[in-house]
Amino acid sequence: MDPRIQAAAERFAALLEGQLKRIDDMAAQKRLAGRAGAHTPVIGVCGGDGIGPSITSAARAVLESLLQGEAVEFRDIGGLTIERRAACGKAIPDDVLAELKACDVILKGPTTTPRAGDPWPNIESANVAMRKELDLFANVRPVKVPERGIDWVFFRENTEGAYAVGSQGVHVTPDLAVDFTVTTNGGTERIVRQAFEYAEKTGRKRVTAVTKANVIKATDGKFLSIAKEIALEYPGIAFDDWYIDIMTAKLLDEKRRRDFSVFVLPNLYGDILTDEAAELQGGVGTAGSANIGGRYAMFEAIHGSAPRMVEEGRAQYADPTSLLRASVLLLEHIGQAEKAKLLERALDVCALEERRVTVTGRDTGSTGAAFAEYVLETVEKVRI
Ligand code: IPM
Ligand code: MG
């Protein structure tokens, strides 16, 4: 065999071994899911890079105030900066990972993802690594624009697809690069079920799967056929499926898009479609994201760390809305549904309706901290 093919085949074999082991781990995790006994939930707060520390501290202030007197513990987790990750050569340094695993939920600021050509080593994204390490398989991203009849919740598969071994593609020769995309039965079943269970619990009437199964036949084909099978178990909920290309168009179709409610989709399509959806809501800075697993959950913005804002000395003017929306999801997750509703209502007033304090990302607007104070004042008003 051509030694270059041999070398690539060995890399591929190692990847497959890793994926088969992941399938076993997933099955074991399913058996052990849930926290051992009741204890005070520990909320780890991880500032991240760029504008991360600024918007995270604004969101934390709001959460701490809302949760005053409740049995929760906030814990600072440092060390997830790009400098530290680069120095260790790891997406998540070992000590940081151990601290994360000692928490129940994590509020996480954006982290810089190195790209080829950056001054940083081309290590895996910290978000992606955290989702995999903590097995946060469901990336839940709500988007709503009430005046246009848009009320969507995306269930993005979060540990597989193009991301499963995204940093382990193979340069077979200088002319030939190959990446891999991965779909497993267990990984697909759990995200599809989560989407249907959510629809059932919240009285939503439609679940829509989005794939490219007409072209990516093995992996997307598997995702779609499993979604179709599981849909049969929920006769009260309509199910349809679309291809990702036409779905990106249909999100802009004013007549059609009101019909969509819950989406379930593989990782990469979910990444792309949720940015488009967030843009319809007012921009990626307005959308929060929950990353949910059997044991842990992590809540974050859907946007990046905006290093340019920091270079230009504007970090304090960054908009914390996305992390505040993520905080709504965090409150729901830890069983504080009433407080979650209060915060959501206050955010609607502050960001969409009244808009007395606005954040523009520059000194033409107020700081993220001032916006957080405005949200807290509004919480008190909507409470009555
Ligand atoms: C997201 C982000 C990440 C992703 C990046 C930062 C790796 O775009 O959370 O959507 O691709 O998942
Ligand atoms: Mg994205």
Side-chain angles (χ1 to χ4, degrees):
M1 192 192 284
D2 181 325
R4 297 169 305 180
I5 298 179
Q6 179 72 39
E10 278 164 22
R11 292 274 303 274
F12 186 46
L15 282 181
L16 294 180
E17 267 171 34
Q19 292 306 304
L20 289 176
K21 176 170 181 309
R22 194 173 62 80
I23 290 178
D24 291 344
D25 291 350
M26 240 192 298
Q29 172 98 16
K30 201 171 159 190
R31 288 193 295 274
L32 295 173
R35 288 189 285 136
H39 67 259
T40 303
V42 178
I43 304 176
V45 182
C46 228
D49 304 305
I51 59 169
S54 161
I55 61 173
T56 309
S57 74
R60 178 186 179 150
V62 169
L63 277 175
E64 272 183 330
S65 167
L66 276 166
L67 289 170
Q68 227 161 33
E70 298 288 340
V72 292
E73 180 190 333
F74 284 86
R75 208 176 272 176
D76 270 315
I77 300 180
L80 202 64
T81 58
I82 183 66
E83 291 80 8
R84 178 80 204 294
R85 289 181 282 134
C88 303
K90 284 200 159 173
I92 304 179
D94 292 341
D95 56 329
V96 177
L97 186 58
E99 285 184 65
L100 292 169
K101 287 188 170 172
C103 299
D104 300 293
V105 299
I106 294 141
L107 179 71
K108 182 186 134 305
T111 46
T112 298
T113 300
R115 293 182 297 188
D118 278 358
W120 312 112
N122 203 8
I123 46 177
E124 189 182 36
S125 138
N127 302 36
V128 174
M130 202 183 296
R131 292 166 185 166
K132 286 191 212 162
E133 288 286 354
L134 305 182
D135 200 28
L136 307 173
F137 65 87
N139 189 180
V140 186
R141 297 183 160 183
V143 166
K144 63 173 186 196
V145 191
E147 66 276 18
R148 295 193 194 160
I150 292 175
D151 183 11
W152 299 326
V153 183
F154 293 85
F155 283 77
R156 164 188 178 190
E157 199 295 315
N158 216 18
T159 53
E160 304 199 335
Y163 284 63
V165 287
S167 56
Q168 298 164 62
V170 181
H171 292 276
V172 181
T173 72
D175 293 331
L176 175 61
V178 179
D179 272 312
F180 305 98
T181 183
V182 177
T183 300
T184 67
N185 283 16
T188 307
E189 278 163 19
R190 62 186 184 174
I191 188 69
V192 174
R193 226 171 260 293
Q194 187 106 345
F196 274 100
E197 288 296 317
Y198 173 83
E200 196 161 70
K201 206 173 74 202
T202 55
R204 289 174 177 261
K205 295 278 171 271
R206 177 178 301 275
V207 172
T208 301
V210 183
T211 68
K212 189 72 188 175
N214 52 340
V215 176
I216 318 290
K217 291 185 189 286
T219 48
D220 279 10
K222 180 186 270 304
F223 192 98
L224 180 55
S225 72
I226 289 176
K228 282 182 177 165
E229 259 171 51
I230 291 178
L232 299 176
E233 297 174 28
Y234 297 85
I237 299 169
F239 172 77
D240 56 357
D241 86 274
W242 295 71
Y243 297 133
I244 181 65
D245 49 350
I246 187 65
M247 183 50 82
T248 60
K250 287 296 150 193
L251 287 196
L252 305 181
D253 177 341
E254 294 195 14
K255 287 196 206 88
R256 172 71 75 167
R257 66 184 174 192
R258 292 162 180 268
D259 299 342
F260 299 123
S261 178
V262 174
F263 294 87
V264 63
L265 62 184
N267 212 334
L268 182 59
Y269 308 139
D271 178 45
I272 297 168
L273 209 63
T274 53
D275 268 16
E276 186 193 8
E279 191 66 24
L280 294 170
Q281 179 183 259
V284 289
T286 65
S289 170
N291 297 265
I292 313 274
R295 166 70 183 86
Y296 299 102
M298 180 266 279
F299 301 83
E300 60 177 348
I302 80 163
H303 58 74
S305 60
R308 189 174 312 156
M309 287 188 73
V310 180
E311 279 155 31
E312 295 172 4
R314 298 188 281 121
Q316 71 273 33
Y317 297 106
D319 189 347
T321 305
S322 54
L323 261 192
L324 289 167
R325 293 277 179 201
S327 303
V328 172
L329 302 170
L330 186 155
L331 289 168
E332 271 167 17
H333 184 80
I334 62 169
Q336 297 283 356
E338 279 309 310
K339 293 184 199 296
K341 274 202 199 89
L342 263 182
L343 178 56
E344 184 170 33
R345 180 73 201 114
L347 282 171
D348 287 348
V349 170
C350 295
L352 307 173
E353 296 162 22
E354 185 184 85
R355 305 184 77 237
R356 191 161 48 74
V357 174
T358 51
V359 185
T360 59
R362 304 181 174 272
D363 59 9
T364 52
S366 60
T367 61
F371 185 76
E373 272 170 39
Y374 172 43
V375 170
L376 278 175
E377 281 163 28
T378 311
V379 163
E380 290 314 316
K381 286 191 198 146
V382 300
R383 201 193 282 277
I384 316 153

